[in-house]
Amino acid sequence: MRNYFDEQLALLNTELIEMGALCEDIIAITPRALEAGSASTVKKATPIDAEIRRKERDIEGLCLKLLLQQQPVAKDLRQISAALKMVTDMERIGDQAADVAEILSFLSESRSEATPILIGMAKAAMKMVTESVDAFVKRDIMLAEKVVADDDAVDGYFIAVKHSLIDEIAKTSEQGEHALDLLMIAKYFERIGDHAVNIAHWVIFSITGEHRREHNDLVR
């Protein structure tokens, strides 16, 4: 019985890795679209977002099966409970990345001084998502804590984007609408970073039983 349970836990890890990879894929659309100065690649976001939602349902079903059909010990129970929380954050990461893609689909192809900063921000947020899932699979507290610390860099990117766009509007008021769209994209990436931090905190909980971030502080 325990061997079967361990196999199902391994399957849970595999499913989480695959869902995390999908989150990476949908986030990666943004820097490609910004670097090319074209929104032609953003159409790929819709099917990826749908697949992320399907993965969420599959993982929730697997977690509930493990809880109802098996008798997990405390350590296993924490791991399954953390996985249930994590997939919610991962699904929201997919939603927010899809929202970014939607903005890009209507965005003009004009370049902005903030574009390179946004590209860096997207890549930093994507790395946080990847490492938060890796930390869960490897049961690596230090990696989870690194994700939490890396949120400062993403927040720094947001401030830099905001200041760059303010300067841009001051120089050319006609760029106002375009600047607001880019600022919205930056805000979505800031929230993606926050969701990666949520995941990292659930990783720490799954290992230690301690949740270091107050429930009310979690991004929803």
Side-chain angles (χ1 to χ4, degrees):
M1 183 67 73
R2 180 68 206 189
N3 287 342
Y4 176 75
F5 184 78
D6 288 339
E7 288 174 2
Q8 294 298 294
L9 281 179
L11 176 60
L12 174 60
N13 285 348
T14 300
E15 291 287 313
L16 282 167
I17 291 170
E18 291 177 358
M19 189 173 181
L22 288 167
C23 289
E24 288 181 61
D25 289 344
I26 197 169
I27 295 170
I29 289 171
T30 305
R32 288 200 296 266
L34 288 167
E35 284 171 343
S38 169
S40 61
T41 60
V42 301
K43 294 178 181 178
K44 298 176 183 178
T46 300
I48 298 174
D49 188 35
E51 183 65 12
I52 288 172
R53 291 171 185 267
R54 187 188 68 77
K55 277 288 184 188
E56 180 190 27
R57 294 192 296 270
D58 290 348
I59 292 171
E60 285 177 343
L62 177 57
C63 287
L64 292 175
K65 179 180 176 182
L66 285 167
L67 290 171
L68 294 174
Q69 295 184 2
Q70 307 296 326
Q71 293 180 331
V73 297
K75 179 183 71 174
D76 299 327
L77 187 58
R78 290 199 305 268
Q79 187 173 357
I80 297 166
S81 299
L84 281 169
K85 295 290 188 179
M86 286 168 59
V87 293
T88 299
D89 278 298
M90 291 166 75
E91 190 274 332
R92 287 172 181 158
I93 286 169
D95 280 348
Q96 286 160 1
D99 288 338
V100 169
E102 184 177 2
I103 294 171
L104 283 172
S105 69
F106 295 104
L107 204 59
S108 68
E109 295 185 4
S110 60
R111 299 284 290 178
S112 165
E113 292 178 5
T115 298
I117 309 172
L118 268 177
I119 291 170
M121 188 178 189
K123 291 178 178 178
M126 184 167 62
K127 183 181 178 185
M128 286 179 68
V129 172
T130 301
E131 291 184 343
S132 64
V133 177
D134 284 348
F136 178 80
V137 173
K138 297 173 183 176
R139 299 185 65 75
D140 189 333
I141 292 178
M142 289 184 66
L143 185 55
E145 289 177 339
K146 178 181 179 297
V147 172
V148 175
D150 285 348
D151 192 43
D152 288 342
V154 173
D155 290 344
Y157 273 118
F158 178 77
I159 293 169
V161 169
K162 183 172 65 174
H163 289 166
S164 176
L165 292 173
I166 289 171
D167 290 343
E168 201 167 299
I169 292 172
K171 293 175 185 175
T172 312
S173 59
E174 291 81 1
Q175 288 288 89
E177 185 175 351
H178 183 262
L180 287 174
D181 286 333
L182 293 180
L183 184 61
M184 182 62 71
I185 289 173
K187 188 62 182 176
Y188 277 127
F189 278 118
E190 183 189 42
R191 292 181 65 80
I192 286 171
D194 289 341
H195 283 297
V197 169
N198 284 356
I199 293 170
H201 280 295
W202 288 118
V203 170
I204 294 168
F205 166 79
S206 74
I207 299 168
T208 67
E210 176 188 357
H211 201 288
R212 302 180 187 177
R213 191 169 185 173
E214 292 298 325
H215 181 75
N216 290 336
D217 290 339
L218 294 177
V219 175
R220 301 186 181 279

